[in-house]
């Protein structure tokens, strides 16, 4: 077992270092490891079956729908209206532009379901504005990168759907509701850091707008915000499934972007559909190859062995959960969220449940861990997208990010040790 794990993980990280795409690295590492115990033809056949089986799920149909909905929202002028709404509501507070940045990322991330889309759409508008007002470019980019990750927790979230499948059937509706309080808490903690930073550096206050300007801006954003209530309300109310909610989100996004806001033309749709198909293909290949690796880990009994080893390290559940968190933070800094969820859920979830943690609480803890990795070097995708949008070097963003890492880690500890944060809303709605 030790040799299998060593070959599998060693080859995987070696391929990653060689800049081989993640899905290919996972598939090749799994195939080569399997060749240690069987011939090429049965090994290749087994891998192919596991890849096909990994994506053979009705729940996964929600992902391409939400990807397409997010692209339509991103191109449809949604970001601009959300920023104007946030500016009208909180722009005059200390660190107002930073607070607007955080709130806009939270709202757009919740609507689009993509942290990369949030940092790109919101950052392309907010970062130049913040720099014009005298904000440090590194701090402005750090706010955007950290806030964009809240979309992974605030539903609808594709990664929560993937966790629901990896965990063996946790209710997607319950997971969606479980993500709200932790996601909002992360956003509030980032706002607190932003206010303290802005006061220390004497950043200017924004203009306080009259009510005659606030109301139209809020009303203009309401059609976009209604998507959240439409999708989540329908799922919780049992009107439709998460997959059907994705289809409804596409129809509503199409109506909003093409019919009401008119920022997406009919001739733009083929390009948007093609981009959606490309993104879906990448995600599905990651899910398929990660499922194959997860099967191999289970076949070699590696999760159970690691679980037993963790439980023998200490009798204190607090220490074991802290160790799991530290491991997952490191994993998130190197590995994309989709394979990380599929590979590490079967490894750590049994340990967490043995310590009294529910599948809901563990799922939110896992996603929050990996969200921190999205804005962490050396691989964090959100971090590099934000640097590209802000046109700054990586070293300029790291120092301002440190207090934001601490704020996110503090929320992570609360999620880990306070089950109420993840379980209150699902229980309130009977999920």
């Amino acid at each position: 077992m030790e040799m299998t794990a060593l070959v599998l993980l060693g080859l995987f990280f070696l391929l990653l270092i060689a800049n081989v795409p993640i899905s290919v690295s996972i598939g090749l590492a799994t195939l080569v490891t399997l060749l240690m115990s069987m011939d090429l033809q049965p090994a290749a056949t087994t891998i192919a079956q596991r890849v096909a089986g990994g994506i053979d799920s009705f729940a996964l149909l929600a992902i391409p729908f939400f990807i397409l909905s997010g692209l339509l929202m991103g191109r449809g002028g949604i970001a601009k209206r959300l920023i104007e709404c946030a500016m009208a509501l909180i722009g005059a507070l200390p660190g107002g532009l930073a607070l607007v940045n955080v709130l806009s990322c939270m709202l757009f991330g919740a609507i689009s379901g993509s942290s990369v889309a949030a940092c790109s759409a919101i950052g392309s508008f907010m970062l130049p504005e913040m720099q014009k007002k005298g904000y440090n470019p590194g701090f402005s980019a750090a706010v955007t990168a950290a806030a964009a990750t809240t979309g992974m927790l605030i539903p609808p979230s594709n990664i929560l759907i993937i966790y629901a499948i990896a965990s063996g059937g946790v209710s997607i509706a319950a997971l969606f509701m479980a993500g709200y309080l932790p996601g909002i808490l992360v956003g509030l903690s980032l706002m607190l850091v932003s206010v303290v930073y802005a006061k220390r550096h004497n950043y200017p206050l924004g203009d306080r707008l009259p009510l005659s300007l606030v109301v139209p801006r809020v009303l203009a954003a309401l059609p976009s915000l209604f998507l959240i209530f439409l999708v989540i309300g329908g799922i919780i109310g049992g009107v439709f499934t998460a997959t059907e909610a994705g289809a409804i989100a596409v129809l509503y996004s199409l109506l909003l972007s093409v019919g009401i806001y008119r920022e997406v033309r009919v001739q733009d749709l083929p390009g948007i559909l093609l981009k959606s198909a490309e993104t879906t293909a990448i995600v599905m290949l990651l899910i398929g190859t990660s499922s194959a690796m997860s099967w191999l880990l289970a076949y070699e009994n590696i999760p159970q062995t690691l679980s037993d080893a963790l439980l023998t390290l200490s009798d204190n559940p607090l220490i074991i959960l802290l160790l799991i968190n530290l491991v997952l933070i490191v994993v998130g800094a190197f590995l994309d969220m989709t394979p990380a969820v599929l590979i590490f859920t079967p490894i750590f979830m049994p340990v967490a449940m043995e310590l009294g943690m529910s599948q809901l609480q563990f799922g939110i803890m896992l996603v929050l861990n990996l969200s921190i990795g999205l804005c962490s070097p050396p691989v964090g995708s959100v971090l590099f997208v934000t640097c590209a949008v802000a046109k700054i070097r990586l070293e300029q963003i790291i120092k301002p990010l440190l207090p934001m890492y601490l704020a996110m880690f503090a929320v992570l500890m609360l999620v880990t040790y306070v089950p109420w944060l993840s379980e209150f809303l699902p229980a309130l709605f009977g999920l």
Side-chain angles (χ1 to χ4, degrees):
M1 189 278 293
E2 293 83 357
M3 180 58 68
T4 300
L6 185 63
V7 171
L8 179 64
L9 298 178
L11 183 56
F12 169 63
F13 284 109
L14 186 63
L15 290 168
L16 278 185
I17 293 170
N19 208 28
V20 177
I22 294 178
S23 55
V24 178
S25 299
I26 294 172
L28 281 177
T30 305
L31 178 61
V32 171
T33 305
L34 202 56
L35 288 173
M36 295 170 58
S37 57
M38 62 179 68
D39 294 333
L40 176 59
Q41 184 173 348
T45 302
T46 301
I47 297 296
Q49 288 174 339
R50 295 299 167 181
V51 169
I55 59 175
D56 183 18
S57 169
F58 178 75
L60 286 179
L61 283 174
I63 292 177
F65 286 130
F66 282 124
I67 288 173
L68 178 55
S69 153
L71 288 173
L72 286 168
M73 285 286 186
R75 293 279 296 275
I78 309 303
K80 179 177 68 175
R81 288 167 176 82
L82 291 176
I83 290 170
E84 289 175 350
C85 174
M87 193 82 75
L89 294 174
I90 60 174
L93 297 175
L97 285 180
L99 300 183
V100 169
N101 196 338
V102 174
L103 181 58
S104 300
C105 283
M106 291 171 67
L107 293 174
F108 191 82
I111 290 171
S112 68
S114 168
S115 55
V116 172
C119 74
S120 178
I122 302 300
S124 60
F125 183 89
M126 286 303 304
L127 292 174
E129 286 296 313
M130 292 178 73
Q131 291 179 32
K132 283 180 190 176
K133 297 294 184 181
Y135 283 75
N136 177 276
F139 169 73
S140 304
V143 171
T144 306
T149 64
T150 57
M152 297 295 96
L153 287 168
I154 302 175
S157 168
N158 288 337
I159 200 64
L160 290 177
I161 295 173
I162 292 170
Y163 169 75
I165 294 167
S167 62
V170 177
S171 165
I172 294 176
L175 274 172
F176 278 3
M177 293 309 299
Y180 268 115
L181 288 180
I184 292 171
L185 198 56
V186 171
L188 291 175
S189 71
L190 295 176
M191 287 183 177
L192 178 61
V193 171
S194 299
V195 169
V196 172
Y197 192 97
K199 284 189 172 182
R200 284 186 177 179
H201 292 80
N202 296 315
Y203 288 145
L205 298 177
D207 298 326
R208 187 178 297 276
L209 298 178
L211 192 61
S212 59
L213 291 179
V214 172
V215 173
R217 292 188 178 191
V218 173
L219 290 177
L222 285 182
S224 305
L225 296 174
F226 179 70
L227 176 65
I228 301 175
F229 296 99
L230 177 66
V231 171
I232 304 303
I235 294 174
I236 294 172
V239 179
F240 38 72
T241 65
T243 301
E244 292 163 346
I248 290 170
V250 169
L251 291 175
Y252 185 76
S253 303
L254 193 62
L255 173 66
L256 207 59
S257 302
V258 179
I260 298 177
Y261 292 156
R262 297 186 178 181
E263 302 221 9
V264 173
R265 300 170 300 171
V266 174
Q267 51 264 45
D268 295 332
L269 293 179
I272 293 174
L273 289 169
L274 180 60
K275 179 63 178 176
S276 172
E278 290 174 353
T279 305
T280 299
I282 293 169
V283 172
M284 290 302 175
L285 185 57
L286 274 171
I287 292 172
T289 53
S290 299
S291 298
M293 180 179 278
S294 297
W295 171 82
L296 180 59
L297 290 170
Y299 179 76
E300 295 291 342
N301 207 33
I302 293 173
Q304 186 60 48
T305 304
L306 290 176
S307 297
D308 294 341
L310 274 173
L311 292 171
T312 58
L313 286 176
S314 172
D315 294 329
N316 190 337
L318 302 182
I319 299 297
I320 297 175
L321 289 174
L322 180 61
L323 288 173
I324 292 174
N325 277 306
L326 294 176
V327 171
L328 288 173
I329 285 176
V330 174
V331 167
F334 286 91
L335 197 57
D336 187 79
M337 288 189 81
T338 298
V341 166
L342 289 167
I343 293 168
F344 288 93
T345 294
I347 292 177
F348 289 128
M349 188 174 71
V351 181
M353 293 180 68
E354 184 77 18
L355 299 174
M357 184 178 281
S358 69
Q359 289 179 311
L360 276 179
Q361 186 186 1
F362 174 76
I364 300 303
M365 183 189 83
L366 172 66
V367 170
L368 179 49
N369 263 296
L370 300 175
S371 296
I372 296 173
L374 284 176
C375 56
S376 303
V379 180
S381 56
V382 169
L383 185 65
F384 288 101
V385 169
T386 306
C387 287
V389 172
K391 298 177 182 177
I392 63 172
R393 299 186 307 275
L394 181 62
E395 54 267 26
Q396 291 177 262
I397 196 176
I398 296 301
K399 186 176 179 181
L401 262 174
L402 293 178
M404 297 181 193
Y405 287 143
L406 291 176
M408 295 171 80
F409 187 77
V411 176
L412 174 62
M413 292 297 97
L414 287 174
V415 169
T416 302
Y417 298 120
V418 183
W420 179 88
L421 282 173
S422 306
E423 298 173 356
F424 172 70
L425 286 181
L428 181 66
F429 288 92
L431 300 173

